[in-house]
Amino acid sequence: MVENAAVAEQSDLVKVSEEEKFSEQEKFSEQEKFSEQEKFSEQEKFIETWVPPEEPAKPLPKASPGAINFLASIKIDNFNLLLFPDSLVTVTDAGKEVGEFKVTLKQALFRGERGFYIQASSHGTIDGVPCGTSITGYVTRQLETLRQQNHEYIKVKDFPLDKKIIFEKQGSMFVVQRTVTEGEEVKNTQRVYKWEDMEGLISEAANLLLLRLLNKYGIIPDNMRFLALDTELQLSTCTYTNLGTKMMRIGSDRVEVFGIQRTIHSEDDLPLCWQSYFLVDGHLASRIQVGSPVVMLLLQNITTVRKEEQELKPTFKKKPLNLEEDMQLYSRFLDKTEELKADHSSYIRHHPELRALIADFLQFLLLRKPEDVVTFAAEYFTSFSSKGVEENVYLSSQKSSPFRKKIVISNELLLPQS
């Protein structure tokens, strides 16, 4: 019996130890499972918070030293006889006129800096769809663009496209803003460049003046690489190529023209090319964008038109005017007189302060009776000027006056010398 009890007790102890061992194994496996889950969650957290390193920004393209030196060498005299309007007709391959192209260049002052105002517009209808582009810009004498505004539209039924781009120098920065409206959707894009990075930039406005200048020189150096903005407002390089001379029919004349090709080399898109041909006097004879279905042409030679105008200009003999004999002229004279009287009377009625002002002046004039009425009137009415220094004109009529000095000098010049 004792032995059986001992065996049973020993078996119970073995069973308890096995249960404790199994529970410890379960506890260890649960801890190991929890540590693995914690490790996996940490990995997920790392993946979620991980940010890929930024790629280094591509260096901006630069204009060649030859292009920069060329722009710096431009003088105001180089633009003599280059500031004139141009007008071309837009023609399809079939010879149908579908629009017009106009350019205007003149000297202007923008924000205190002398330069040029350039305006160009192209409007027409292609395949029944009205479309057009306009450019307005201010550039300096070195062809730096201070401000330019582009407007492009395509009036497709139910889904019109309108695009506006503004380039502007703002302090030490060059800001480019674009607004694209497609139907009812509006997208705004803005890029900002440092002004120092825009050295050698030739905008669309500056390009119109540079083309005339290159045509005047007749030589285009191969080492000139300028800067330009592509269709995505990315800074790109721009080159000019000499196309040489060729004979071209304009109206009934065959004339020699000189061609220049402008190419914008975009890094993300195909190159854009424009070919322009000029007459000897600098007028634009034709302009085409490579790949476009239309071409802009000068339909009649400017020189021929001028000759015809000079030949057909009528001459009239000067006719003496005699109101007493010419009743029609006398009647027109009376009508104009009555019209002026009515206009003057209406002005006086609408400005009653005019009568009071003149009455006060005449009263003061008759009280003082000055010898020099002109100087007295100048001093009297100066007191009413908002730009002059406020002072009492009644203090003394004999004080020094800039008007009196001018008159004295003029009198000295008019007096004969003894």
Side-chain angles (χ1 to χ4, degrees), residues 317-386:
K317 294 182 179 180
K318 188 175 181 180
K319 185 178 179 180
L321 301 178
N322 193 334
L323 296 179
E324 296 179 357
E325 296 180 0
D326 193 338
M327 297 303 297
Q328 183 179 1
L329 183 62
Y330 183 66
S331 176
R332 293 180 60 184
F333 169 74
L334 293 178
D335 293 341
K336 189 64 177 178
T337 302
E338 294 299 326
E339 182 183 347
L340 289 175
K341 286 182 179 180
D343 182 62
H344 296 167
S345 299
S346 176
Y347 180 81
I348 293 175
R349 285 196 306 271
H350 286 83
H351 296 82
E353 68 276 8
L354 181 60
R355 291 181 180 273
L357 183 64
I358 295 177
D360 290 344
F361 169 69
L362 291 176
Q363 183 180 10
F364 189 50
L365 178 70
L366 295 176
L367 286 174
R368 292 300 179 95
K369 298 180 177 64
E371 294 181 0
D372 190 348
V373 178
V374 176
T375 303
F376 180 83
E379 294 176 348
Y380 177 82
F381 286 105
T382 301
S383 61
F384 294 95
S385 174
S386 60

Side-chain angles (χ1 to χ4, degrees), residues 65-264:
I68 295 175
N69 293 335
F70 174 82
L71 296 176
S73 65
I74 297 177
K75 298 180 181 179
I76 187 61
D77 296 339
N78 299 135
F79 297 105
N80 291 342
L81 306 178
L82 294 183
L83 304 180
F84 49 80
D86 263 329
S87 181
L88 305 181
V89 175
T90 306
V91 182
T92 63
D93 296 336
K96 181 181 177 181
E97 297 182 14
V98 294
E100 61 180 2
F101 175 74
K102 293 185 176 181
V103 179
T104 301
L105 296 93
K106 58 184 179 181
Q107 295 192 39
L109 187 68
F110 183 74
R111 295 177 181 172
E113 188 167 355
R114 294 189 177 276
F116 303 97
Y117 168 78
I118 302 172
Q119 183 180 19
S121 62
S122 174
H123 303 284
T125 302
I126 300 177
D127 296 332
V129 179
C131 57
T133 304
S134 62
I135 298 172
T136 302
Y138 293 89
V139 301
T140 66
R141 296 175 179 178
Q142 271 64 50
L143 303 185
E144 294 177 330
T145 301
L146 301 179
R147 178 182 171 85
Q148 177 180 300
Q149 181 171 347
N150 295 15
H151 182 208
E152 179 181 349
Y153 67 89
I154 303 176
K155 296 184 178 180
V156 181
K157 187 178 180 181
D158 300 330
F159 199 77
L161 172 65
D162 189 273
K163 184 188 299 183
K164 294 181 181 178
I165 303 176
I166 297 178
F167 314 151
E168 187 172 14
K169 179 186 178 184
Q170 297 182 5
S172 61
M173 309 302 290
F174 190 78
V175 182
V176 184
Q177 296 176 331
R178 179 174 63 182
T179 302
V180 179
T181 304
E182 294 181 291
E184 298 182 355
E185 184 181 0
V186 180
K187 297 180 181 179
N188 295 312
T189 306
Q190 177 173 302
R191 295 186 183 277
V192 180
Y193 297 94
K194 294 181 180 179
W195 179 252
E196 59 187 21
D197 293 333
M198 309 305 287
E199 186 178 17
L201 174 72
I202 299 297
S203 64
E204 295 299 323
N207 168 65
L208 296 173
L209 192 53
L210 178 59
L211 285 173
R212 292 187 179 186
L213 195 61
L214 294 175
N215 173 69
K216 180 181 178 181
Y217 292 155
I219 299 175
I220 304 176
D222 297 332
N223 62 343
M224 293 198 306
R225 185 182 67 254
F226 299 93
L227 297 180
L229 294 175
D230 62 11
T231 55
E232 296 300 324
L233 309 183
Q234 297 283 357
L235 201 59
S236 308
T237 58
C238 169
T239 58
Y240 291 83
T241 307
N242 187 339
L243 298 179
T245 59
K246 71 176 185 178
M247 300 303 296
M248 180 176 177
R249 181 172 293 281
I250 300 178
S252 58
D253 301 330
R254 284 184 60 84
V255 296
E256 185 180 80
V257 293
F258 177 70
I260 303 173
Q261 177 173 292
R262 182 193 187 212
T263 306
I264 296 179

Side-chain angles (χ1 to χ4, degrees), residues 276-296:
S276 303
Y277 284 88
F278 295 86
L279 299 174
V280 177
D281 60 359
H283 280 277
L284 187 61
S286 72
R287 171 184 168 91
I288 182 173
Q289 180 176 352
V290 177
S292 174
V294 297
V295 59
M296 300 167 188

